[in-house]
Amino acid sequence: VLSSYRSKMIYTERIQDAIRFATKTHEVYRKQKRKGKDIPNITHPLTLGLILARAGAEEDVIVAGILHDTIEDSVPEKKVTKEMIADRFGVNVAELVLSVTEQNKELPWEERKREALQHIETFSHDSVLIKCDDFISNWSEILDDHADVGENVWNRFKRPKEMMLENAYCVISALRRCWPESPLAPDLQDIKDRLVGIETRFVEGSTKGFFIGGVRDGIPDRWFVRHLSEDELGNHKELGQGGSPLGMTFHMMLNHS
């Protein structure tokens, strides 16, 4: 009778164990906080578990979502490994966690993000779900904080706002290309729409300004700002049609003052 009940459980022993494991990794052993805030970081993987459950994910995917940062964020003396996760939660969960784990945190930010974007192209649907979930949770929080503290929110990060936004657009595009019918695709679109709403418009007198973010082969390459006069605007309208002689795609935001 007991095994019959357990087979129908929603809050399963594996999910409970994953929560305990993640809590020890992020909170007990590290006292990790959300970036720039006095909020325990454990709220992030728990949010992932909730979103994945709402998206109808399988138990392995929910467990992997809860554990997704444990390899990256574990302290050296309590280091979490793929083998440890496989032994406790199964090989599939371990592979999913590893698929969304940055392999070399010592690399520069730009290089790590470039590798992560390229890696998305190899994702299974389950990995896409977890990566979408992680992105949605992080950026929803950033956008909510932006509504509270405005542009000061970007001071929490080591890279400027323009680079953060450009990378976010590229991640959204890569995830949607990998699985257009993902149950989290509408949430990705919502994040994209909200990001567009906070992008800075540059206005100096009658000069209309552009933010131009360069992307090469879908990967962030460079970021720069130009203030264009009315004459220059007429000469650069072709950029808005998606391209340049350099073969780069540009995102441009125009303030119609």
Side-chain angles (χ1 to χ4, degrees):
V1 175
L2 182 60
S3 61
S4 175
Y5 276 117
R6 284 182 173 173
S7 68
K8 299 176 182 178
M9 286 175 61
I10 300 298
Y11 186 37
T12 65
E13 290 183 358
R14 292 178 77 229
I15 291 175
Q16 294 175 48
D17 194 22
I19 291 172
R20 285 192 293 269
F21 191 95
T23 300
K24 286 183 179 180
T25 300
H26 297 290
E27 179 61 23
V28 177
Y29 299 142
R30 187 171 172 182
K31 299 296 181 185
Q32 194 177 12
K33 304 292 185 182
R34 297 300 286 158
K35 194 177 293 291
K37 299 193 291 186
D38 190 26
I39 294 177
N41 192 63
I42 187 60
T43 57
H44 173 60
L46 295 182
T47 299
L48 263 67
L50 176 61
I51 294 172
L52 288 167
R54 289 274 296 164
E58 297 289 337
E59 183 183 63
D60 270 7
V61 181
I62 297 171
V63 169
I66 294 169
L67 300 174
H68 79 286
D69 271 339
T70 54
I71 294 177
E72 280 188 29
D73 291 347
S74 54
V75 295
E77 58 271 24
K78 294 288 186 179
K79 187 61 183 172
V80 175
T81 64
K82 174 189 172 183
E83 292 72 25
M84 186 185 301
I85 294 173
D87 182 62
R88 189 157 172 175
F89 299 98
V91 173
N92 186 45
V93 170
E95 292 286 354
L96 287 171
V97 172
L98 191 65
S99 74
V100 296
T101 298
E102 289 190 350
Q103 298 304 305
N104 188 354
K105 298 286 281 187
E106 301 303 315
L107 291 174
W109 185 91
E110 293 82 358
E111 204 168 329
R112 286 190 288 113
K113 298 309 176 185
R114 184 176 290 111
E115 286 189 358
L117 279 166
Q118 292 170 337
H119 189 50
I120 289 173
E121 305 300 328
T122 70
F123 275 1
S124 67
H125 283 182
D126 286 344
S127 292
V128 170
L129 268 184
I130 297 169
K131 184 67 176 180
C132 284
D133 191 10
D134 185 28
F135 181 88
I136 291 162
S137 172
N138 280 324
W139 276 98
S140 292
E141 185 173 345
I142 293 170
L143 287 162
D144 288 345
D145 290 344
H146 184 273
D148 288 338
V149 302
E151 292 294 291
N152 289 329
V153 73
W154 309 111
N155 296 333
R156 302 172 184 173
F157 303 99
K158 295 180 180 179
R159 293 299 185 275
K161 169 186 175 180
E162 292 80 12
M163 293 179 73
M164 296 286 294
L165 293 178
E166 191 62 43
N167 182 68
Y169 285 130
C170 290
V171 171
I172 292 170
S173 296
L175 289 169
R176 293 180 70 177
R177 283 197 309 270
C178 195
W179 189 12
E181 299 82 17
S182 162
L184 292 177
D187 296 78
L188 288 177
Q189 183 61 48
D190 178 67
I191 295 293
K192 182 177 180 181
D193 292 343
R194 292 171 67 190
L195 288 174
V196 170
I198 67 167
E199 284 172 326
T200 303
R201 271 62 172 170
F202 301 92
V203 183
E204 293 182 354
S206 62
T207 300
K208 295 178 173 63
F210 285 84
F211 161 73
I212 303 177
V215 182
R216 190 188 302 275
D217 298 326
I219 309 300
D221 187 79
R222 67 184 67 177
W223 297 263
F224 53 92
V225 173
R226 296 183 63 187
H227 293 280
L228 306 179
S229 67
E230 291 291 341
D231 290 338
E232 288 177 313
L233 278 172
N235 294 330
H236 289 83
K237 286 180 180 177
E238 70 276 5
L239 291 181
Q241 304 303 315
S244 78
L246 299 178
M248 301 179 72
T249 303
F250 293 88
H251 298 287
M252 305 200 317
M253 284 68 74
L254 172 63
N255 187 308
H256 298 282
S257 56

